[in-house]
Amino acid sequence: MKAYELLSQEGKWAQGSYAKTQDGLMCDVNSPHAFSFCVIGAIERCYFKTEAIDIKYKVCNSMSLNRSMRALVAWNDFPARKQEEVVALLKELDI
């Protein structure tokens, strides 16, 4: 499954944590209880570790974030950000 496919499902996108349980509690992206994910968490959930690192940098570079994971987190967590925007970016990059 690609990250955009995961996040396109209703309620699967999160802010403020890489992953959350269905009750909204923070958890590890690989936890069996993980229900929703931020952009980075979705990438880590859908791809092997070494591949996920390259993919996260690809997303940063596409947004001119100069390989900054912190900037990508800030972009995801921006209060006015919408799930559709996150999905559209990942879909455009085929991630």
Side-chain angles (χ1 to χ4, degrees):
M1 173 182 287
K2 296 194 178 218
Y4 77 82
E5 293 171 323
L6 174 61
L7 294 183
S8 66
Q9 299 171 39
E10 186 64 35
K12 290 293 188 173
W13 176 62
Q15 291 181 300
S17 177
Y18 287 168
K20 293 182 179 182
T21 65
Q22 198 163 6
D23 295 329
L25 302 173
M26 294 166 63
C27 66
D28 185 88
V29 298
N30 293 312
S31 167
H33 304 290
F35 178 79
S36 60
F37 308 86
C38 77
V39 65
I40 292 175
I43 291 168
E44 290 180 1
R45 177 72 174 223
C46 293
Y47 299 95
F48 292 109
K49 187 174 185 170
T50 53
E51 186 180 21
I53 293 168
D54 292 338
I55 290 170
K56 288 183 281 188
Y57 287 136
K58 178 180 177 180
V59 174
C60 287
N61 290 337
S62 77
M63 299 171 64
S64 300
L65 297 177
N66 298 321
R67 301 174 64 95
S68 172
M69 290 304 123
R70 184 171 283 160
L72 184 55
V73 168
W75 178 84
N76 182 88
D77 290 350
F78 181 68
R81 185 74 54 225
K82 304 277 190 241
Q83 179 176 358
E84 297 80 25
E85 294 173 283
V86 177
V87 171
L89 172 67
L90 294 175
K91 192 170 190 176
E92 178 182 320
L93 298 171
D94 195 32
I95 293 172

